[in-house]
Amino acid sequence: LARQLLLLSIALDAEVPRRERAELLLEILSNTLLREKTASYLEGRAQMLRRMLAQEEGPMARLIDLSLLKMKERDALEEVIGSWFESFEFDVVRQRDERLRTYYEGRYDSRLNVLDWDYTMELQPIASIVHKVHFREWRMTGLAFELRDSNYIAPNRSLASFAAGRLRGASVFKRGFWGDVINSPFAAVGVECDDERFVKQKNGQHVKTACDVAFYNVLGWLTALETGRKFTIRAEDFEAFEYGASVATSGGMVKGFFGGRAPSPRIEEAEE
């Protein structure tokens, strides 16, 4: 529930430009590590949500009805939101690595080979638009959406959660990273969209990536929420429309128009 409130508050934060909001949503939804700027924004959202819970104040107060929650549940919700502050210790890199070691067991040292097999045999036949480099990066590091030449060094504290277990015969809840380490977030937002141009192939290669599709989808949802109109891209601007990091080459991740390679495409908002 806390994560849902967080993502909703980001989507409805009209003080942030729509494109930047789309970047923030994808980053906080998917990445284990954040830019410092994003971590500070996350703390600001936590402060706003905590105030909404305690005093029923703020922009979200009139939109969310928490009256059916018991006091114990409200306290638990506030505790989770309070753990998103930058002062809260959360070593997501170590905890994610522990999850990986548990999953791979004896195959941990050869996990690159395992994930390459998973991609080729399991993912590519049903979602070939997910580029192998993007899938590998996420499986290895937990980074799905990397923007510009940014440093991702702050833990995504919103991914911390509790899992039930037993310690010395007693039932306990352990706080840690219990998120997905196998499938990737691309399946949720980056595989399908309502614009067929995004899934076309040229010479057997996709012209766009799952990152581009995800960015288009989120921009479309935000546009529809704010204007009631459909988000579209002009034909002459489609080639330049990319997320911050696209298909990799031998020189590294090719940057799209956010990196200054091409001007930002003009966007249309068409009536349904």
Side-chain angles (χ1 to χ4, degrees):
L1 178 57
R3 276 267 289 181
Q4 299 302 318
L5 290 175
L6 170 64
L7 296 175
L8 181 61
S9 75
I10 298 172
L12 299 178
D13 187 2
E15 294 183 1
V16 178
R18 199 179 301 161
R19 287 176 178 273
E20 186 176 352
R21 245 182 302 155
E23 297 166 7
L24 288 167
L25 276 167
L26 288 171
E27 186 176 345
I28 292 175
L29 171 70
S30 309
N31 289 1
T32 52
L33 294 172
L34 307 175
R35 295 170 289 165
E36 290 184 321
K37 173 184 176 181
T38 305
S40 297
Y41 178 80
L42 173 59
E43 180 166 325
R45 293 287 89 187
Q47 291 173 344
M48 183 273 294
L49 291 172
R50 176 181 269 184
R51 187 170 69 253
M52 181 193 73
L53 283 172
Q55 304 169 9
E56 297 187 358
E57 294 179 353
M60 293 282 290
R62 62 185 179 86
L63 303 175
I64 305 297
D65 182 8
L66 300 175
S67 61
L68 295 180
L69 291 181
K70 300 176 181 178
M71 288 302 299
K72 183 178 180 180
E73 294 168 333
R74 291 176 71 98
D75 290 343
L77 184 60
E78 186 173 355
E79 181 181 357
V80 171
I81 293 173
S83 69
W84 297 343
F85 286 77
E86 293 186 75
S87 59
F88 201 93
E89 185 68 26
F90 178 45
D91 190 350
V92 67
V93 174
R94 178 183 60 80
Q95 294 186 13
R96 187 177 189 274
D97 186 67
E98 290 176 356
R99 290 284 314 285
L100 292 177
R101 290 179 182 276
T102 300
Y103 172 68
Y104 288 113
E105 295 181 335
R107 303 174 299 168
Y108 178 82
D109 291 335
S110 59
R111 60 192 182 282
L112 269 175
N113 295 331
V114 176
L115 68 87
D116 283 346
W117 190 94
D118 287 345
Y119 176 83
T120 302
M121 303 303 295
E122 302 291 343
L123 182 59
Q124 190 175 37
I126 60 175
S128 59
I129 196 169
V130 179
H131 197 274
K132 184 177 183 178
V133 170
H134 293 158
F135 181 72
R136 180 189 298 143
E137 178 72 8
W138 178 82
R139 282 278 289 259
M140 294 296 290
T141 69
L143 294 179
F145 297 96
E146 297 181 71
L147 188 64
R148 307 182 183 95
D149 296 319
S150 301
N151 293 320
Y152 290 79
I153 58 176
N156 185 353
R157 293 173 173 83
S158 73
L159 290 177
S161 59
F162 289 91
R166 298 190 67 81
L167 179 65
R168 300 186 183 92
S171 297
V172 297
F173 283 92
K174 182 179 179 180
R175 188 177 189 277
F177 174 78
W178 310 110
D180 177 26
V181 295
I182 302 172
N183 298 307
S184 90
F186 300 119
V189 292
V191 174
E192 298 178 335
C193 69
D194 59 11
D195 190 332
E196 294 183 355
R197 295 176 296 177
F198 277 89
V199 295
K200 286 185 177 180
Q201 298 186 35
K202 186 176 182 179
N203 298 325
Q205 298 292 323
H206 282 277
V207 300
K208 296 295 182 184
T209 72
C211 294
D212 304 327
V213 173
F215 189 50
Y216 169 80
N217 281 333
V218 175
L219 279 172
W221 300 334
L222 296 179
T223 300
L225 277 172
E226 292 182 16
T227 69
R229 296 182 176 185
K230 179 180 174 60
F231 174 74
T232 60
I233 305 171
R234 297 180 184 183
E236 62 267 30
D237 298 321
F238 180 76
E239 184 178 353
F241 183 89
E242 295 179 352
Y243 186 69
S246 191
V247 179
T249 66
S250 58
M253 302 296 275
V254 178
K255 299 298 180 183
F257 64 86
F258 286 123
R261 190 186 65 182
S264 298
R266 297 186 302 275
I267 303 301
E268 291 181 336
E269 292 172 0
E271 297 282 0
E272 290 283 8

